[in-house]
Amino acid sequence: MPTNYKAPLAGQHAAITGGGRGIGASIAETLARLGASVSLIGRNAAVLEATKKRIVMEHGVQVATASADVTDEAAVHRALDSLRNALGAPTILVNNAGMAVSAPFLKSDAAYWRKVLDVDLMGAVYCTQAVLPAMLEANWGRIINIASIAGLAGSAYVTAYCAAKHGMIGLTRALALETARTGVTVNAVCPGYTDTEMTANSIATITQKTGRSREEVMATLLARNPQGRLIQPAEVADTVAWLCGAGAGSVTGQSIVIAGGELMP
Ligand code: NAP
């Protein structure tokens, strides 16, 4: 089939968790610009609707939304059923929904650990289990897990987040092998500090806990990145878009670092 260079993802349906804002919204906009229909999943219906409106206006593709907390397996299945009814079975799943909270290890109790593991790891498991059967049946699919450099290296005061993101990398690698003889690929994308609300909240927390100024905290974060800057959500989105393309069919089980050289695994 000849490649449609203007809309290489035309005919694809990408479901993106946490697609209403931050990195997820940027991924949704990029995939829509390339012609995919997109489904946005998140807890805040108003935010999802606002992003939907913007994408429809700018790109003229079909967009559907479904409110769900990714930690609620039944709600995830209901959401994906409704999106399937609206736009057909997702051919691309981007597990992007996530939370980052910090606490010293000895102050992180079991409830804290369960919450972080539920959002940052189990959410991806539930969503993947909901869409994978149709992808296997179609013999084509793309599963892209938005992990983090915290999935490949340790980082103090975020033990639960690091453990969940390392788990996401393990999930990616093992599932990539399990699906290797099909047309389904499974990859992880691992950003460094990215310019979103999540990073703004981390800076606010560190500022509050240490009494350092916002500028000092920002300078410390930026110093970790050899390029001396935050990653832009669109840079993460472009990598996701490349993984969705036909040309990335042999790329599976990989963890692609987008961090200005901060980590060289
Ligand atoms: P963000 O601005 O805080 O956005 C988080 C997104 O996740 C929101 O759309 C939120 O939607 C959704 N979400 C959170 N908990 C959810 C839940 N229980 N159920 C459903 N949706 C939920 O964060 P971001 O920076 O865009 O991060 C996106 C992903 O990139 C995360 O997995 C994060 O770990 C990863 N990441 C971020 C950075 C960074 O520096 N920002 C670096 C590396 C990796 P609702 O609130 O509407 O539910």
Side-chain angles (χ1 to χ4, degrees):
M1 205 203 295
T3 304
N4 179 345
Y5 288 106
K6 265 190 157 168
L9 298 182
Q12 305 296 349
H13 170 195
I16 300 138
T17 67
R21 59 190 169 91
I23 292 173
S26 185
I27 291 170
E29 285 175 32
T30 298
L31 301 188
R33 176 166 47 79
L34 297 174
S37 309
V38 294
S39 288
L40 313 174
I41 302 165
R43 294 164 303 178
N44 187 325
V47 169
L48 296 177
E49 281 309 311
T51 302
K52 170 181 173 172
K53 206 168 155 191
R54 200 171 64 238
I55 293 178
V56 170
M57 256 174 50
E58 284 176 15
H59 304 294
V61 297
Q62 287 189 292
V63 182
T65 64
S67 299
D69 185 319
V70 294
T71 66
D72 179 340
E73 185 177 10
V76 163
H77 280 270
R78 278 196 302 278
L80 282 156
D81 282 347
S82 85
L83 297 170
R84 197 175 292 119
N85 288 337
L87 300 179
T91 56
I92 297 166
L93 170 68
V94 184
N95 286 310
N96 164 80
M99 67 181 285
V101 280
S102 58
F105 177 66
L106 289 177
K107 288 193 176 158
S108 16
D109 62 14
Y112 169 96
W113 268 82
R114 277 196 199 99
K115 175 79 185 160
V116 176
L117 290 173
D118 277 352
V119 177
D120 288 329
L121 179 58
M122 292 311 295
V125 171
Y126 301 144
C127 292
T128 303
Q129 285 181 335
V131 303
L132 186 59
M135 289 181 181
L136 293 175
E137 207 174 309
N139 214 28
W140 199 92
R142 296 283 188 262
I143 294 169
I144 298 159
N145 295 323
I146 308 302
S148 167
I149 53 171
L152 294 165
S155 193
Y157 303 113
V158 282
T159 47
Y161 183 73
C162 263
K165 293 296 190 182
H166 273 70
M168 203 179 215
I169 303 281
L171 164 69
T172 302
R173 290 175 174 163
L175 189 58
L177 292 177
E178 211 167 306
T179 56
R181 294 297 177 107
T182 73
V184 176
T185 64
V186 188
N187 289 289
V189 172
C190 301
Y193 278 109
T194 304
D195 195 3
T196 68
E197 232 173 283
M198 184 179 276
T199 296
N201 291 339
S202 300
I203 292 171
T205 306
I206 300 170
T207 302
Q208 192 219 332
K209 284 187 179 161
T210 62
R212 291 158 68 207
S213 71
R214 194 192 162 279
E215 290 66 32
E216 279 175 298
V217 174
M218 177 64 104
T220 308
L221 294 195
L222 295 185
R224 294 171 57 145
N225 177 330
Q227 290 183 341
R229 66 180 181 86
L230 293 179
I231 305 303
Q232 291 307 305
E235 296 178 289
V236 181
D238 279 350
T239 301
V240 171
W242 169 70
L243 285 169
C244 291
S250 71
V251 180
T252 196
Q254 303 305 304
S255 304
I256 300 172
V257 176
I258 304 171
E262 182 174 345
L263 194 70
M264 299 185 183

